[in-house]
Amino acid sequence: MVKVEIDGIIKEYPKGKSFLEISREYTPKDGGDFILALVNNKLRELTKKVEKDCKIRFVTTSEDAGHKTYTRGMILVFMKAIYSIVGRENITKVSVEYSLKEGIYCQPNMKVPVTKELTDKIKAKMQEYVTKDLTFAKKTIGTDDAIELFKSYGMYDKEKLFRYRRVSKTNIYSLEGFEDYYYGYMPPSTGMLAWFDVIPKEDGIVLLLPDGKTPKEIKPFEVPEKLYHTLKESNIWAETMEIDTVGALNEAIVAGRMNELILTQEMFQEMKIGEIAAMIKESGKKLVMIAGPSSSGKTTFSHRLSIQLKTHGLTPHPIGVDNYFVERDLTPLDEYGKPNFEALEAIDTESFNRDMTALLAGKTVELPVFNFVTGHREYKGDFLTLGPNDILVIEGIHGLNDKLSYSLPKESKFKIYISALTALNIDEHNRIPTTDLRLLRRLVRDARTRGADGAKTIGMWPSVRRGEEENIFPYQEEADVMFNSALIYELSILKSYAEPVLFGVRRDQEEYIEAKRMLKFLDYFLGVNSDVVPKHSILKEFIGGSCFNV
């Protein structure tokens, strides 16, 4: 018998009893289902067995790690279904590309067209697997054997990925004989994966899943068209460069192509920024409103856009909305009683609108600077009067929300949404969430500029994400244009900067689980020296050395 502590109560269980069996004695309190076990601050699949005294907390599908596990299981079910219906001989590749709100866009390369009839068949087959409550079987094989296995299946992205793996063993999952590799944990069986939908989108397929707030509900779905086309353009460019997976990136590094890749990517971004500047010039609008989630590179983008605007004969003036923060003691609190700097109410919108309206009317305005040390707004003689060719470049997380600039005429605003929408995937079935890239950027920047350790940055991330979900993402489709700040090469650069920060998170800290996950993720990449990164690059905003002093 072993002693197990759950919810502060110690019970005895026979050695070898599975966490799944133990979990059935308890009821989830957040509306989700138990899908993982946190054992002595280490995530475990529910199929694992208790072998010694331990402390357990069961993780539900409402939680981030649980939701990721649900998604991972659904993707494997989807893959088995599409290969079963279409036939392996008719499929070249099925790529899991990117997230569209609650949907995951998948791009099949196969001999049959994507139709509503096909997606209905896939959905029915998936429901069949769910009803059967099939077990996700896990086995460990040698990495060399994994290379040969996926080569035989025609999954060449996985074959390429494992060529650069340092570990000698690899975990493979199978579902009724369909074998695949996934980065992360799996559910115990298909029975708990009952909430999903499958719909066609042009020549691709969208797999709809619940979100963490409503883990047993599929919400009405409308494709965010601007986001979709921005992501698709980035993916097409990555495929043109032949760098759409980590294995392909590692291959390019080994072949000595990194310098060429970096310069090409940076020139591509500069071309896109130039196109945006031309659009602003043509529009005749006086206010450029820039918004995006944390660590999108908004500051560097604003500087680079300003330079491009100057080449079009305009005189840009950057305005940081953060300089209009309310006094620190007036900052609203979130549901946990902590200062909510992401809330619109944290901004003195009245002063902001008064100043911007006065500038548009040709008046002279003294602009404030917020002192983040004292928590007070200060005025230091920064006066501005707009001339005929002057333009305001306003950057802040609420830039797309008209409630921020309520008194300013809509016809005078040119809205830009910026985010790091990575087009790089681990392999064809394992995508890289944009949030992972942004978190790594923030970890590196906060350690460099604020002396923040990894645990602090990771601990703040859920609050940052909640603010984004509430204040940024609902307005992204209102943008006149979207800019993707992700650099296809940057994770190979960030690796050497982020790993020391992540290794600094102690095993006894709550944030260790996320730190370990990110370290495992970075292990897929070959590292590259940052000397070849241009000083004007958005990446320099995070690793240091930017010519814009950010």
Side-chain angles (χ1 to χ4, degrees), residues 523-544:
D523 196 46
Y524 289 111
F525 295 83
L526 298 181
V528 175
N529 192 291
S530 63
D531 290 348
V532 293
V533 179
K535 289 188 176 182
H536 69 276
S537 172
I538 282 174
L539 183 55
K540 287 289 189 176
E541 180 176 329
F542 305 98
I543 65 175

Side-chain angles (χ1 to χ4, degrees), residues 213 265 334 356 415 450 452 518 536:
K213 295 179 181 178
Q265 168 78 97
D334 63 16
M356 297 306 108
K415 297 181 178 180
R450 302 176 184 177
M518 298 302 287
H536 69 276

Side-chain angles (χ1 to χ4, degrees), residues 119-144:
T119 56
D120 285 346
K121 287 181 179 179
I122 294 170
K123 179 180 178 180
K125 181 62 72 172
M126 291 173 70
Q127 288 173 329
E128 177 187 321
Y129 297 151
V130 170
T131 301
K132 287 182 177 179
D133 195 20
L134 303 174
T135 299
F136 288 97
K138 183 178 182 179
K139 67 178 181 180
T140 302
I141 64 175
T143 300
D144 289 342

